[in-house]
Amino acid sequence: MNKLYYFALCLCAIMIMSFHGQCQKIALIPVPAKMQLTEGEFQINKSTRIYCSTNDSKHSAGVLSALLFGKAEKGKVISGVPGNAGKNYIFFKEVKDLPTEGYRLSIKSQNVVLEATGSVGFFYAVQTIRQLLPLRVKASEKATLPSLPNLTIEDYPRFAWRGLMLDVSRHFQTLEEIKTFIDYMALYKLNTLHLHLTDDQGWRVEIKKYPLLTEKGAWREHNTQDNDCLNRAKEDPTYTIPEKNYKMIAGKKMYGGYYTQDQLRDLVRYASERCITIIPEVDMPGHFKAAVDLYPELSCTKEAGWGSLFSFPACPSKETTYEFMKNVLTEIASIFPAPYIHIGGDEVNVDSWKKCPLCQSSIQKKGLKDEHELQSDFNRQIEAFLHSKGKKLLGWDEITEGGLTKEATVMWWRNWAPKAPYQAVKNGNDLIMSPDFQYYLSAENLETPLRKVYEYEPCPADFTTEDAKHLLGVQACFWSEQIPNFTRLQFQAFPRIMALAETAWTPSSLKNYTDFYARVTNSFPRLDAMKIHFHLPPVEGLKDLTVFTDKATLNLRIPLQDMKVYYTLDGTAPTQNSSLYTHPVVIDHACKVRMRSYRGENFSEIREGNFEKQALREPVNPVNLQSGIKRTFQNGRFESTRDLNPDQNSDVKVVQNIETGEYSGREFYGLIFNGFIKVEKDGVYEFISTSDDGNVLLIGDTMVVNNDGSHAASERSGMIALKAGYHPITVKYHQRGGGYELKIEVCAPGESRRPLSADELFH
């Protein structure tokens, strides 16, 4: 290697390591595009003044003054330039050479200078200072005022759209709770709140022309989602449904709530002051049951109801439907000044349209191919109306299926529809990446962990430069079926929205998970001070199933020094009165271990694992064995491996490994592998499967690994005690669309985890 090149490479690596080291020290999230930490600090004192030379900086100067001195302190912000103000001042300086949202921040012992081209850049510079400040910044007469570390930062966002979606239809959040959520977003430079206001389970926005939508449509008796939360709340109070969200109506206790138009205008103003745009979503034509219940003439059958999966949609072939939609959207457009209105467009039950004479007549008269094109025709008519109101149409990626105009914007969520983003950008549509498997933060943290959120790269590697111009940014979603209160929302959001924020803001070349995780843990005291109930780092060492023949050891790895873990062995819910884990625990009998972590007032979800004592399973003695394993292919779309039912016409062949093989990249099929595995010694074997979608692994008729269902790439494991010899093995796998992965690994007694090899498989 050329010595000069090697030297440059080493120097670059040292610079990157130094950069990340500085970032960890001050724990800024998202990490700035450029930063240099220097010696010294700027000490704020009673005589510190804040200067702002333009109207664009006055609001942010006031925000900073309130942070440093408290809202009651007056006279700290001065219009003008510092001039001969001395050494201790803060100056908001307008410049012309930065992007709209960009800023420069220079902190020296003598002064602090914030540079930006306008109000948004100044606001984000203040949010950076907000993270640099110590936890207690409002000083009393006897308290010491805070100081800031000396540094220089030049910063700007990677993406224009840095969003979170909050579903208030399934479970309601109050106006004050949403404002607090907006404050969280501002701290991490997120700039778009997508408010999901309507769905089958509730209508949350006042529409004056249709008062029944909130008089009745905003309230419901308990549904299955509510009952599930109430059941979980018996062991986890974060699932409690707040009493404030109930109301007695006609002698019945009803759950719900809604926002008046004036309340939403106030929310829009509050968000705007924090440089956040609120995008309203009124789902149509599907997920419209809350309206159809009250105005049944909107549906094809003049009835509200459910199909096999989704509710009956509005009928797209009635003029009365369009009149209703336009009246609703007219009032929505008057409340929200944002350039977009989100119409949903996902999961439409087109089966009802197939049976509707009006819909079938529309398809024929308009020369449409099918019901998907009928939905596209509906979308185009709604889009034209939105244009008349100065708005753009935004919808979930299903709107691409029947064709759409170039002006519509697509929000991609279906990992199992990987072609949709490409279809959108090739058609000239703008695109927002909101993938289910990585950015649906309503999912459990174990299913969608922090690292998975952080390491997702939203810009596909094969996007051209022109394609990438249409990628507006990213958005995470909080669907609220299992988020009944604000505490649970905090738990689902933190620290994962910090990972999304860094992807949305920071250049991809500067992202580093190890560095990011260190900054996250360094931020925990700040989250404590903000009274955020966040997800604690998971304790490692407890498996879903631990099999043993004599004794087993529960050996936990606790990630934080100030975290305590309490456990039970009798299946009861652990509390701080349960056994405190201090050292490995020897287990000699079958039991269920349940544990919960505590850190101050914060606590984790309950984790559990079964310990099972087994006798060694006897091997079988098959004859005429040959290498390889039989694989049966079945074509079709299956929700789980239970749906697989091959017949004599199914394709069967012998393969050497348990993998997707030549079917890799194909959608909608199932595979069944049958044969024998040869184990070399007695003991407990652990099998690990990683699959997308689901799979199961059986030894004989015993389920060892259950990784079934339709899901993203997920890892599951299981154990079984085996004697040396041959044992029947079956692996079932189904592919529903999206990713295409199947990997089987094994951990033999006393050995490390490794792939299951071809020389262990026979038929």
Side-chain angles (χ1 to χ4, degrees):
M1 182 183 289
N2 181 282
K3 290 183 178 180
L4 185 60
Y5 174 78
Y6 180 77
F7 174 77
L9 196 64
C10 291
L11 183 61
C12 181
I14 291 170
M15 290 173 65
I16 291 174
M17 291 172 63
S18 174
F19 176 82
H20 287 305
Q22 294 179 53
C23 293
Q24 289 180 27
K25 185 175 181 180
I26 59 176
L28 287 177
I29 297 173
V31 69
K34 299 176 184 178
M35 186 183 74
Q36 181 63 49
L37 191 63
T38 55
E39 293 295 326
E41 61 183 22
F42 174 79
Q43 180 62 56
I44 298 157
N45 59 46
K46 292 289 184 181
S47 62
T48 301
R49 293 293 181 266
I50 300 174
Y51 292 86
C52 55
S53 58
T54 65
N55 288 331
D56 281 344
S57 60
K58 282 185 178 180
H59 171 67
S60 293
V63 171
L64 182 58
S65 177
L67 280 171
L68 299 179
F69 306 108
K71 292 181 180 179
E73 185 74 31
K74 304 294 184 182
K76 293 296 184 181
V77 178
I78 301 170
S79 295
V81 297
N84 298 319
K87 293 184 177 181
N88 194 278
Y89 64 85
I90 300 170
F91 180 33
F92 285 75
K93 180 181 178 181
E94 186 176 22
V95 296
K96 302 295 184 184
D97 62 335
L98 286 168
T100 302
E101 296 182 293
Y103 67 92
R104 275 193 290 266
L105 176 61
S106 172
I107 303 176
K108 299 178 182 178
S109 299
Q110 298 83 8
N111 56 58
V112 177
V113 179
L114 302 85
E115 295 181 331
T117 60
S119 58
V120 180
F122 286 125
F123 182 80
Y124 288 140
V126 170
Q127 297 312 302
T128 295
I129 291 176
R130 185 178 164 193
Q131 291 193 39
L132 293 172
L133 288 169
L135 300 181
R136 302 284 185 261
V137 299
K138 294 179 181 178
S140 65
E141 287 297 322
K142 297 180 181 180
T144 302
L145 284 163
S147 62
L148 295 169
N150 286 357
L151 51 70
T152 57
I153 288 174
E154 183 169 330
D155 205 8
Y156 41 82
R158 179 185 180 192
F159 291 117
W161 188 293
R162 306 182 299 280
L164 298 178
M165 189 282 293
L166 180 57
D167 167 26
V168 293
S169 174
R170 275 54 175 251
H171 283 110
F172 185 71
Q173 302 288 344
T174 67
L175 202 68
E176 291 307 312
E177 289 166 341
I178 298 176
K179 286 181 176 180
T180 301
F181 193 68
I182 286 170
D183 289 337
Y184 300 158
M185 293 177 64
L187 179 60
Y188 299 107
K189 302 182 177 71
L190 296 166
N191 68 352
T192 305
L193 175 60
H194 170 182
L195 207 54
H196 187 79
L197 291 164
T198 71
D199 214 303
D200 299 315
Q201 292 80 5
W203 190 283
R204 306 297 178 205
V205 52
E206 177 191 25
I207 302 298
K208 294 181 178 180
K209 192 171 183 65
Y210 303 108
L212 290 180
L213 289 172
T214 47
E215 287 178 11
K216 294 186 176 181
W219 305 95
R220 66 173 185 250
E221 295 185 75
H222 276 167
N223 60 19
T224 55
Q225 297 161 4
D226 300 321
N227 292 332
D228 191 29
C229 288
L230 290 171
N231 187 53
R232 291 185 176 206
K234 295 174 184 177
E235 292 187 346
D236 188 338
T238 67
Y239 286 102
T240 302
I241 300 177
E243 282 298 319
K244 63 188 176 184
N245 294 341
Y246 287 101
K247 180 180 179 180
M248 293 301 295
I249 301 176
K252 294 182 178 180
K253 188 177 183 180
M254 307 288 279
Y255 173 85
Y258 69 92
Y259 315 106
T260 68
Q261 294 190 8
D262 286 341
Q263 285 178 322
L264 289 171
R265 289 188 179 96
D266 175 64
L267 187 67
V268 167
R269 175 199 56 77
Y270 188 89
S272 179
E273 290 175 352
R274 288 150 183 80
C275 299
I276 290 171
T277 300
I278 298 183
I279 307 294
E281 179 180 353
V282 176
D283 223 331
M284 59 178 69
H287 289 288
F288 210 61
K289 186 175 180 295
V292 176
D293 280 338
L294 302 167
Y295 301 92
E297 66 273 12
L298 293 171
S299 76
C300 295
T301 61
K302 296 185 178 181
E303 293 179 339
W306 293 88
S308 58
L309 292 174
F310 307 116
S311 62
F312 299 156
C315 180
S317 302
K318 292 179 178 179
E319 284 304 317
T320 51
T321 296
Y322 289 96
E323 179 186 1
F324 186 94
M325 302 297 194
K326 290 175 181 179
N327 288 335
V328 168
L329 292 173
T330 295
E331 295 193 34
I332 293 293
S334 73
I335 302 169
F336 297 94
Y340 297 93
I341 290 180
H342 202 304
I343 68 159
D346 60 311
E347 299 177 333
V348 177
N349 176 16
V350 298
D351 288 344
S352 61
W353 296 352
K354 293 177 181 178
K355 302 172 185 176
C356 172
L358 285 175
C359 290
Q360 292 306 306
S361 177
S362 291
I363 290 173
Q364 192 171 31
K365 287 179 181 178
K366 295 181 179 183
L368 305 176
K369 184 171 65 176
D370 55 19
E371 288 73 24
H372 294 299
E373 289 196 357
L374 181 61
Q375 183 180 349
S376 290
D377 180 71
F378 169 87
N379 292 342
R380 282 191 286 270
Q381 293 190 57
I382 295 298
E383 182 177 19
F385 176 75
L386 291 177
H387 288 170
S388 75
K389 298 296 179 181
K391 304 294 185 182
K392 300 177 184 178
L393 181 143
L394 175 60
W396 301 108
D397 63 73
E398 283 95 329
I399 67 173
T400 64
E401 291 180 351
L404 69 167
T405 70
K406 294 183 183 298
E407 290 76 25
T409 300
V410 176
M411 190 169 278
W412 180 66
W413 72 282
R414 294 180 301 163
N415 292 73
W416 54 94
K419 296 177 182 178
Y422 296 89
Q423 292 169 343
V425 297
K426 295 304 181 188
N427 190 54
N429 298 103
D430 287 339
L431 175 68
I432 299 155
M433 303 300 261
S434 187
D436 181 356
F437 297 162
Q438 293 86 8
Y439 282 174
Y440 272 32
L441 303 189
S442 35
E444 298 289 345
N445 278 267
L446 287 174
E447 180 182 341
T448 307
L450 181 67
R451 185 168 199 146
K452 185 176 182 179
V453 179
Y454 187 81
E455 293 186 342
Y456 173 70
E457 170 48 49
C459 187
D462 53 353
F463 260 26
T464 66
T465 303
E466 193 61 32
D467 293 338
K469 289 179 182 178
H470 289 288
L471 180 53
L472 299 183
V474 295
Q475 178 173 290
C477 296
F478 296 94
W479 298 102
S480 64
E481 289 92 337
Q482 303 298 321
I483 305 178
N485 59 58
F486 192 66
T487 301
R488 189 69 203 182
L489 178 61
Q490 292 177 323
F491 184 83
Q492 295 296 126
F494 285 92
R496 292 185 292 184
I497 66 167
M498 299 156 83
L500 175 95
E502 186 139 307
T503 295
W505 182 277
T506 300
S508 58
S509 60
L510 294 181
K511 288 183 63 181
N512 177 286
Y513 182 75
T514 301
D515 164 66
F516 168 74
Y517 184 74
R519 284 181 282 119
V520 166
T521 55
N522 287 340
S523 298
F524 285 169
R526 186 171 301 277
L527 300 185
D528 292 335
M530 294 168 67
K531 300 189 182 303
I532 292 175
H533 181 77
F534 59 92
H535 181 264
L536 294 169
V539 173
E540 297 179 355
L542 180 64
K543 298 179 181 293
D544 293 337
L545 174 66
T546 299
V547 170
F548 60 98
T549 57
D550 182 22
K551 294 178 181 180
T553 301
L554 175 65
N555 191 359
L556 302 180
R557 294 177 291 282
I558 302 174
L560 300 176
Q561 290 185 346
D562 57 352
M563 182 188 291
K564 294 182 178 180
V565 177
Y566 295 86
Y567 68 94
T568 63
L569 301 180
D570 59 2
T572 59
T575 68
Q576 288 173 294
N577 294 321
S578 304
S579 299
L580 174 65
Y581 181 87
T582 56
H583 56 269
V585 179
V586 176
I587 295 175
D588 60 3
H589 62 285
C591 63
K592 176 179 284 189
V593 175
R594 306 186 79 195
M595 67 178 190
R596 172 174 269 162
S597 306
Y598 290 84
R599 181 184 168 276
E601 297 182 3
N602 212 2
F603 57 87
S604 73
E605 69 275 80
I606 294 175
R607 291 282 311 281
E608 62 181 46
N610 288 305
F611 280 71
E612 183 178 306
K613 195 169 187 176
Q614 291 183 4
L616 292 169
R617 179 179 291 239
E618 295 289 337
V620 296
N621 297 302
V623 296
N624 301 322
L625 282 182
Q626 300 178 52
S627 64
I629 190 168
K630 287 184 179 180
R631 186 194 69 191
T632 303
F633 170 85
Q634 185 178 357
N635 193 43
R637 185 167 182 162
F638 309 105
E639 294 299 320
S640 78
T641 61
R642 294 188 300 273
D643 299 330
L644 298 179
N645 186 27
D647 56 30
Q648 63 272 21
N649 297 319
S650 299
D651 180 28
V652 181
K653 67 183 295 187
V654 175
V655 295
Q656 296 303 304
N657 291 290
I658 300 174
E659 57 189 15
T660 56
E662 68 269 28
Y663 299 109
S664 182
R666 178 170 170 171
E667 296 181 324
F668 310 133
Y669 65 90
L671 299 174
I672 299 178
F673 299 84
N674 286 107
F676 299 90
I677 181 173
K678 183 181 181 182
V679 301
E680 297 293 341
K681 54 187 174 183
D682 296 354
V684 175
Y685 287 76
E686 180 178 14
F687 293 89
I688 308 102
S689 85
T690 305
S691 70
D692 182 351
D693 287 276
N695 84 290
V696 295
L697 185 151
L698 298 92
I699 299 295
D701 57 359
T702 300
M703 175 79 74
V704 179
V705 181
N706 187 349
N707 197 1
D708 210 355
S710 298
H711 53 69
S714 299
E715 180 181 293
R716 295 288 186 273
S717 65
M719 295 179 173
I720 189 168
L722 302 174
K723 278 190 176 182
Y726 294 94
H727 294 269
I729 184 171
T730 301
V731 173
K732 299 180 180 181
Y733 168 79
H734 80 98
Q735 200 342 280
R736 189 178 178 273
Y740 319 101
E741 184 171 3
L742 174 62
K743 180 172 63 176
I744 304 296
E745 298 172 285
V746 63
C747 186
E751 298 180 13
S752 300
R753 171 174 167 171
R754 59 173 175 77
L756 189 63
S757 65
D759 57 10
E760 297 171 276
L761 297 174
F762 298 87
H763 72 283

